[in-house]
């Protein structure tokens, strides 16, 4: 009888990946909220602040392939725990940087590059977890939950960080981020295992449910000797829709990092809000990301079940990105600052309807190689973010913020077109 007890360990671990995802984006976006204070203390200005934003994303993009390989080789438990420790150290180093130190810009660039390199493991490791733990029909939901942490971590924290900065200074906000990360990492190390077979709390009923729902033989299960950790490099690199997904995620990353890097400052400098009001309106896009990311995951699974992978993953993502372009153009042109904040938040939300598709389709296509495959797709997104971190303020300064959002809208349309060339119904392992 005990063998037939039903457990849901995979859902708790997926929830904790949601928490770690939120912590990761807390560590990424705290610089945006503290940007005004840091810029004033070290005499930076928007352009140099943009270099610091870009440094994180260059480190993040540059270490995607090693992160994917590490996740596939050593498993998500160890790799992600090490990554969280790394983030905490880099965040603490930022808080320890003395006021008035020479070469502050170079030091901040170096620290943020190191933070980006450490955070590179989060989503390849999470994707490897999904490939090993999550049945096909649940992947949209689980990926939606994991990436809802992006909106939660980025959206719920601006008022809190703004309050900490106002009352305790910007360094206290970074210490807060580091401590929260350390606690979350310890829980993951204690609770997680690399495969469901290794987890002592997983029941036989749940194990059968996971095995029956996977689209390939899971790592650690009864696969032929020598094939359990094989990475299909040739098949991955010859995959025609991989470049399309990378370009599509480049567009996604470019747009997303306008919100992560510049939306707070946009609402302050271009729309005339005080820092408190800017922090309030900065919550809206990220709350929309959280809700729509979850909704997109559920909708993707339901459409996939009813109409197949092309509709559930590709058509949903394409339509979502087309809607994003419309919201970006409208939001940047309305006269009312409050209405602009709401419409642009709708654009962020509609874009995140497609988030689960990018990662679920990596599982659908790559199976046991999903850590590597997803890291290559994610590299495209982070390059897009690195470009926008420096290019967006340059465009805004010379041509205005409306033009900055118009460029983002054009890239959103490009991403929608790219999705029409993706074929998740043709997996590598078929």
């Amino acid at each position: 009888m005990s063998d037939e007890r039903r457990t849901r360990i995979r859902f708790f671990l997926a929830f904790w990946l949601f928490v770690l995802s939120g912590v990761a984006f807390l560590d990424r976006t705290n610089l945006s909220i503290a940007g005004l204070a840091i810029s004033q203390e070290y005499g930076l200005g928007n352009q140099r602040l943009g270099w610091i934003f870009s440094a994180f994303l260059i480190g993040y993009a540059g270490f995607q392939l090693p992160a994917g390989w590490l996740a596939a080789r050593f498993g998500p438990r160890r790799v992600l725990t090490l990554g969280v420790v790394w983030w905490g150290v880099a965040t603490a180093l930022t808080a320890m940087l003395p006021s008035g130190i020479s070469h502050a810009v170079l030091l901040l660039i170096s620290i943020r590059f190191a933070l980006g390199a450490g955070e590179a493991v989060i989503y390849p490791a999470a994707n490897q977890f999904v490939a090993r733990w999550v049945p096909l029909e649940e992947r949209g939901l689980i990926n939606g939950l994991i990436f809802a942490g992006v909106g939660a971590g980025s959206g719920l924290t601006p008022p809190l960080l703004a309050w900490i900065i106002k009352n305790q200074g910007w360094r206290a906000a970074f210490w807060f981020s580091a401590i929260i990360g350390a606690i979350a990492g310890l829980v993951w190390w204690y609770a997680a295992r690399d495969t469901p077979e290794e987890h002592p709390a997983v029941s036989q009923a749940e194990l059968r449910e996971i095995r029956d729902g996977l689209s390939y033989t899971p790592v650690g299960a009864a696969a032929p000797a020598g094939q359990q950790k094989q990475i299909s490099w040739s098949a991955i690199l010859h995959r025609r829709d991989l470049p399309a997904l990378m370009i599509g995620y480049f567009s996604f990353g470019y747009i997303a990092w306008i919100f992560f890097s510049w939306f707070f400052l946009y609402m302050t400098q271009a729309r005339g809000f005080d820092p408190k009001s800017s922090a309030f309106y900065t919550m809206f896009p990220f709350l929309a990301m959280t809700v729509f990311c979850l909704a997109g995951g559920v909708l993707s699974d339901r459409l996939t079940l009813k109409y197949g992978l092309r509709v559930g993953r590709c058509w949903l993502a394409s339509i979502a990105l087309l809607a994003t372009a419309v919201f970006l153009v409208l939001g940047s042109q309305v006269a009312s600052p409050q209405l602009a904040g709401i419409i642009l938040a709708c654009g962020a939300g509609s874009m995140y309807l497609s988030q689960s598709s990018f990662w679920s389709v990596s599982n659908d296509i790559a199976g046991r190689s999903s850590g590597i495959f997803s890291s290559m797709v994610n590299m495209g997104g982070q390059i897009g973010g690195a470009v926008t971190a420096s290019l967006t303020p340059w465009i805004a300064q010379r041509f205005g913020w409306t033009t900055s959002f118009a460029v983002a809208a054009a890239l959103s349309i490009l991403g929608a077109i790219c999705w029409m060339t993706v074929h998740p119904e043709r997996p590598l392992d078929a």
Side-chain angles (χ1 to χ4, degrees):
M1 292 294 292
S2 62
D3 285 345
E4 294 304 317
R5 67 189 176 90
R6 301 188 66 83
T7 58
R8 289 289 184 268
I9 300 300
R10 65 188 184 277
F11 290 107
F12 173 77
L13 295 179
F15 169 75
W16 208 255
L17 285 170
F18 159 85
V19 172
L20 290 175
S21 182
V23 171
F25 270 79
L26 166 64
D27 289 346
R28 297 183 197 194
T29 56
N30 53 18
L31 184 64
S32 176
I33 306 304
L36 288 173
I38 292 174
S39 183
Q40 290 171 1
E41 180 167 334
Y42 295 106
L44 303 178
N46 281 0
Q47 198 67 55
R48 290 181 178 178
L49 202 58
W51 298 347
I52 298 169
F53 289 143
S54 293
F56 169 88
L57 289 157
I58 292 169
Y60 191 93
F63 280 81
Q64 280 300 301
L65 272 178
W69 180 83
L70 287 170
R73 176 66 179 83
F74 297 105
R77 183 191 183 211
R78 283 177 287 180
V79 170
L80 196 46
T81 302
L82 177 62
V84 176
V85 172
W86 188 315
W87 314 343
V89 171
T91 303
L93 285 174
T94 307
M96 294 168 64
L97 199 65
S99 180
I101 191 171
S102 58
H103 307 297
V105 174
L106 181 60
L107 291 171
L108 284 168
I109 286 173
S110 300
I111 292 171
R112 294 299 286 190
F113 178 88
L115 176 64
E119 285 206 11
V121 302
I122 173 67
Y123 297 119
N127 207 242
Q128 199 70 40
F129 165 83
V130 172
R132 298 177 179 187
W133 277 81
V134 181
L136 179 66
E137 65 270 16
E138 297 172 357
R139 286 177 178 174
L141 170 64
I142 295 300
N143 277 309
L145 174 63
I146 292 169
F147 283 91
V150 173
S154 304
L156 298 176
T157 54
L160 175 60
L161 292 182
W163 181 85
I164 293 174
I165 291 167
K166 180 180 178 181
N167 291 278
Q168 302 294 331
W170 67 267
R171 286 179 173 80
F174 279 75
W175 283 116
F176 169 81
S177 301
I179 293 169
I180 291 294
I183 295 171
L186 285 174
V187 173
W188 171 257
W189 173 255
Y190 177 79
R193 296 296 185 274
D194 290 324
T195 66
E197 290 81 9
E198 297 174 46
H199 205 295
V202 173
S203 67
Q204 289 299 312
E206 182 178 12
L207 188 57
R208 284 196 301 270
E209 189 177 1
I210 292 171
R211 285 175 172 172
D212 292 345
L214 294 178
S215 58
Y216 72 105
T217 303
V219 175
Q227 294 185 14
Q228 291 182 4
K229 294 181 179 179
Q230 180 180 355
I231 297 173
S232 308
W233 286 104
S234 177
I236 289 172
L237 296 176
H238 285 87
R239 185 80 190 195
R240 292 183 179 181
D241 43 10
L242 175 60
L245 283 168
M246 293 181 70
I247 294 170
Y249 213 45
F250 174 94
S251 302
F252 186 104
Y254 185 98
I255 301 163
W257 277 91
I258 290 179
F259 291 100
F260 296 136
S261 297
W262 296 112
F263 195 70
F264 180 84
L265 294 176
Y266 167 73
M267 297 303 286
T268 302
Q269 297 175 354
R271 291 295 184 171
F273 286 110
D274 59 60
K276 182 179 179 181
S277 297
S278 290
F280 175 73
Y281 277 95
T282 297
M283 289 177 61
F284 290 178
F286 303 120
L287 293 177
M289 290 176 186
T290 304
V291 173
F292 280 83
C293 193
L294 285 168
V298 172
L299 187 58
S300 176
D301 283 340
R302 290 184 177 179
L303 290 173
T304 296
L305 184 63
K306 189 171 184 179
Y307 300 107
L309 287 169
R310 280 278 289 166
V311 173
R313 309 296 196 222
C314 306
W315 281 93
L316 173 63
S318 185
I319 293 170
L321 290 173
L322 289 175
T324 299
V326 174
F327 283 122
L328 291 177
V329 172
L330 290 177
S332 65
Q333 293 185 358
V334 298
S336 167
Q338 293 82 2
L339 185 58
I342 293 171
I343 294 175
L344 290 170
C346 289
S350 63
M351 180 177 67
Y352 265 75
L353 278 174
S354 71
Q355 174 69 290
S356 177
S357 291
F358 279 102
W359 294 84
S360 296
V361 88
S362 295
N363 294 130
D364 300 333
I365 290 173
R368 67 173 62 87
S369 302
S370 60
I372 291 289
F373 192 92
S374 64
S375 71
M376 296 177 76
V377 175
N378 198 23
M379 185 188 304
Q382 306 320 309
I383 292 172
V387 170
T388 197
S390 295
L391 185 60
T392 293
W394 183 87
I395 295 174
Q397 182 179 350
R398 285 159 178 77
F399 305 104
W401 278 101
T402 300
T403 303
S404 292
F405 283 105
V407 171
L411 286 171
S412 189
I413 294 171
L414 174 62
I417 294 170
C418 287
W419 265 108
M420 291 295 91
T421 69
V422 177
H423 290 277
E425 75 280 9
R426 304 172 188 171
L428 291 176
D429 296 335

